[in-house]
Amino acid sequence: MQIDWKRHIVYNLPLVMRQPRIVHLLRSLLASLADLHDRAQTWRVESLRRARYDSSSIMIERMIFDEMGLEVVIDNFDTGSYDFRVRILSEQTTYDEARLRALIDKYKAADKRYLIGNGNVSYTVIYQDYTCEKTDERFSVEYTAYVCEKHDYKETVTIRLYGRNNGDGSIELYASTGGTPVASTIHITAASALSFTINEGESTSRLTIIYEEPGGGIISISPTEDSTYKYKFEPDIIWLTSTRDTSVR
């Protein structure tokens, strides 16, 4: 029963008490009762509607539409594993599957098994690592843009030992990458107990002056790899002309 609480309060007051202050006071006092009555009315309407549902296919389809707004069709699907199939016709791709199954389980016959089919589902997949799992689902993926993958390729930087005979009995030696700044400090060991260092962010070591022929070129370098480059070396000395290269300090 619908009640107009504003009029109901006024009509049930004696004429001498129909004063604005009294009416407003009573409305304030009865506001909670009016809200409770409205909620009870809503519950009664919903209960009567749900009481009309049964286990027939047509009523389950109507019930799902009333409760979730999904258009579905129930087909016989006797394959040995399932008794019927619920096909979703709505274009929306997201819905509460747990709620849908709860509604179907509530009204279907107890011994009936079913399958939910939705042809409008789309998947967004991000592969972060290898995943091994057993599944009965099949995915069809169409790539519509470039796919970027992380790889471990690193550029290789070659370190060489350069020498110059000054003609006065002295020999200048230095190590260099040929212009590429190294990402880590590189320690270089050469023959005749010689050592060179290329500091981080630089491409050439300091000059070393010796007064006897070196016994050979580079023997080893350390490190051979960092987070940016891989490093290798040429074992032989590259001899320059006697003209001094002023770019090397």
Side-chain angles (χ1 to χ4, degrees):
M1 182 178 65
Q2 297 294 332
I3 299 177
D4 187 340
W5 288 93
K6 294 181 179 180
R7 294 185 177 182
H8 184 72
I9 292 172
V10 175
Y11 290 161
N12 285 275
L13 281 176
L15 294 177
V16 296
M17 297 183 66
R18 294 179 184 178
Q19 303 296 325
R21 291 185 179 181
I22 296 176
V23 172
H24 290 313
L25 175 61
L26 292 175
R27 286 178 180 175
S28 299
L29 294 174
L30 296 177
S32 298
L33 179 61
D35 178 66
L36 182 61
H37 178 266
D38 291 340
R39 290 163 58 185
Q41 286 293 106
T42 302
W43 173 84
R44 180 176 181 274
V45 172
E46 291 293 322
S47 297
L48 291 174
R49 178 173 59 82
R50 293 174 181 174
R52 290 195 297 268
Y53 297 146
D54 55 36
S55 60
S56 65
S57 299
I58 295 177
M59 292 306 296
I60 292 179
E61 292 172 2
R62 176 61 184 273
M63 177 268 298
I64 293 174
F65 181 78
D66 291 342
E67 296 291 334
M68 300 184 63
L70 289 176
E71 293 185 10
V72 301
V73 173
I74 296 178
D75 302 324
N76 291 328
F77 195 68
D78 190 2
T79 62
S81 299
Y82 302 100
D83 298 301
F84 66 92
R85 177 178 60 181
V86 180
R87 291 192 298 115
I88 299 176
L89 304 181
S90 299
E91 294 184 359
Q92 63 189 85
T93 59
T94 59
Y95 59 91
D96 190 345
E97 183 175 346
R99 185 185 178 196
L100 176 60
R101 289 187 178 276
L103 291 173
I104 298 173
D105 292 342
K106 182 177 180 180
Y107 292 100
K108 74 176 181 64
D111 60 339
K112 298 297 183 180
R113 293 167 297 178
Y114 62 93
L115 176 70
I116 296 177
N118 187 356
N120 300 313
V121 174
S122 63
Y123 295 91
T124 300
V125 182
I126 300 176
Y127 297 99
Q128 296 180 337
D129 203 346
Y130 294 105
T131 302
C132 299
E133 56 183 18
K134 182 179 179 181
T135 176
D136 295 330
E137 295 184 354
R138 295 182 180 180
F139 299 93
S140 176
V141 180
E142 178 181 356
Y143 295 99
T144 57
Y146 293 105
V147 178
C148 299
E149 298 180 351
K150 182 180 179 181
H151 57 78
D152 296 328
Y153 171 78
K154 293 182 181 179
E155 182 180 351
T156 300
V157 176
T158 302
I159 299 174
R160 298 176 175 87
L161 186 61
Y162 295 87
R164 180 187 296 105
N165 194 326
N166 294 324
D168 58 358
S170 65
I171 297 175
E172 295 180 351
L173 295 172
Y174 67 91
S176 176
T177 63
T180 302
V182 296
S184 302
T185 298
I186 307 297
H187 301 283
I188 303 159
T189 302
S192 303
L194 296 174
S195 62
F196 304 86
T197 300
I198 303 177
N199 294 320
E200 181 180 350
E202 299 179 355
S203 60
T204 304
S205 70
R206 293 181 179 274
L207 281 174
T208 296
I209 300 177
I210 60 175
Y211 293 92
E212 59 182 11
E213 288 291 330
I218 298 176
I219 299 174
S220 65
I221 61 174
S222 177
T224 59
E225 183 178 355
D226 56 30
S227 60
T228 305
Y229 298 116
K230 291 183 178 180
Y231 301 100
K232 71 175 186 176
F233 64 89
E234 293 289 345
D236 298 326
I237 300 176
I238 299 176
W239 292 99
L240 304 176
T241 60
S242 59
T243 303
R244 184 177 180 84
D245 184 358
T246 57
S247 66
V248 178
R249 290 177 170 78

